[in-house]
Amino acid sequence: MIKCGRPCKGDEQQSRDRLLDAALQLFLEHGYGNLSMETIARDARVSLRTIYSQFGGKAGLFGALMRRCSDQFIASLADDCALEQALLIFGRQFLFRITRPDVLRMRAILIGESPRFPDLATQFYEQGPQRTLDHLAQYFSRQQQAGAIVGIDPHFLADQFVSALRSERLQRLQLGLEPAPDEAEIDQWVRQAVSLFLQGCEAAKP
């Protein structure tokens, strides 16, 4: 018996993931400007109407890929553990994701093509960096209310923490001057960044 109507939520999520997976591979292979929506729809086995209704267009689809990536480390920022431990967990997830070759390649595509496609730059920043900074700022604000962090603008703290994590090393990775770090290297990298960051903003313990 053939079932009609809307698919269940599990099927919808699988279809969305399949579409995003196909789009990611196509963006990596063809870049942004040279990739047609028809090609994406064909490879993902969905209709053009589905892509436009879910994402609004190619820029929205690219933004959804950035959001899916940022979801993976934003979700790790927990209030139910000590400040230092929470930042270590977040930092490891953040650095592991942004230093993967596919993510570095996507950043290169963005840098190369955003002058011609301003919507691409907007989607990337809003769904990736800005969303991450906003979640961090909210977390730091809650930590200030709990007395764990001194009263510095939480948005400034978020910006400084992300900058400390990325450091100059991210640029070397982006340029292909060194290989992607493994988990042990990332752990050491994060521990140093978190330690230095907390020296500047952690409240004195009574």
Side-chain angles (χ1 to χ4, degrees), residues 12-51:
E12 285 184 343
Q13 187 60 50
Q14 288 179 2
S15 177
R16 180 183 175 89
D17 287 340
R18 184 176 68 247
L19 172 54
L20 289 174
D21 289 341
L24 172 61
Q25 291 307 312
L26 290 168
F27 280 130
L28 291 171
E29 291 173 14
H30 302 286
Y32 183 83
N34 294 327
L35 179 61
S36 70
M37 293 287 282
E38 290 79 8
T39 299
I40 298 172
R42 184 182 66 245
D43 276 39
R45 304 191 302 279
V46 299
S47 67
L48 278 172
R49 181 178 179 181
T50 295
I51 299 177

Side-chain angles (χ1 to χ4, degrees), residues 132-149:
T132 302
L133 289 169
D134 288 345
H135 275 74
L136 274 170
Q138 292 165 13
Y139 173 78
F140 288 138
S141 179
R142 294 193 298 272
Q143 291 297 311
Q144 287 174 333
Q145 293 171 12
I149 291 180

Side-chain angles (χ1 to χ4, degrees), residues 32 59 110 113-126:
Y32 183 83
L110 168 78
E113 303 204 41
S114 60
R116 288 193 298 142
F117 303 100
D119 286 349
L120 171 64
T122 299
Q123 284 290 334
F124 166 80
Y125 194 76
E126 288 181 352

Side-chain angles (χ1 to χ4, degrees), residues 91-92 95-97 99-101 169 173 178-190:
R92 291 188 195 105
L95 281 181
F96 182 80
R97 300 299 174 186
T99 59
R100 294 311 90 191
R169 189 173 182 181
L173 289 167
E178 59 180 83
D182 59 24
E183 291 188 21
E185 290 174 310
I186 285 175
D187 183 68
Q188 182 181 17
W189 182 350
V190 171

Side-chain angles (χ1 to χ4, degrees), residues 25-198:
Q25 291 307 312
L26 290 168
F27 280 130
L28 291 171
E29 291 173 14
H30 302 286
Y32 183 83
N34 294 327
L35 179 61
S36 70
M37 293 287 282
E38 290 79 8
T39 299
I40 298 172
R42 184 182 66 245
D43 276 39
R45 304 191 302 279
V46 299
S47 67
L48 278 172
R49 181 178 179 181
T50 295
I51 299 177
Y52 281 108
S53 65
Q54 290 189 14
F55 304 102
K58 190 162 58 171
L61 186 57
F62 192 95
L65 285 168
M66 297 301 101
R67 186 180 184 91
R68 186 170 71 166
C69 180
S70 65
D71 279 344
Q72 295 169 326
F73 45 79
I74 284 175
S76 70
L77 193 60
D79 288 314
D80 58 355
C81 59
L83 171 62
E84 182 177 11
Q85 186 63 23
L87 295 182
L88 288 171
I89 293 170
F90 170 85
R92 291 188 195 105
Q93 286 290 326
F94 177 77
L95 281 181
F96 182 80
R97 300 299 174 186
I98 70 169
T99 59
R100 294 311 90 191
D102 282 357
V103 175
L104 292 171
R105 173 63 180 149
M106 290 288 276
R107 284 177 60 88
I109 291 170
L110 168 78
I111 292 168
E113 303 204 41
S114 60
R116 288 193 298 142
F117 303 100
D119 286 349
L120 171 64
T122 299
Q123 284 290 334
F124 166 80
Y125 194 76
E126 288 181 352
Q127 300 302 330
Q130 187 63 64
R131 185 163 173 259
T132 302
L133 289 169
D134 288 345
H135 275 74
L136 274 170
Q138 292 165 13
Y139 173 78
F140 288 138
S141 179
R142 294 193 298 272
Q143 291 297 311
Q144 287 174 333
Q145 293 171 12
I149 291 180
V150 296
I152 301 173
D153 179 359
H155 294 280
F156 176 78
L157 288 175
D159 181 74
Q160 292 301 302
F161 182 56
V162 167
S163 296
L165 286 173
R166 286 189 309 225
S167 72
E168 184 65 15
R169 189 173 182 181
L170 183 63
Q171 180 160 272
R172 296 197 299 273
L173 289 167
Q174 186 75 68
L175 293 170
L177 298 178
E178 59 180 83
D182 59 24
E183 291 188 21
E185 290 174 310
I186 285 175
D187 183 68
Q188 182 181 17
W189 182 350
V190 171
R191 286 183 182 280
Q192 291 174 335
V194 168
S195 176
L196 183 62
F197 175 78
L198 288 179

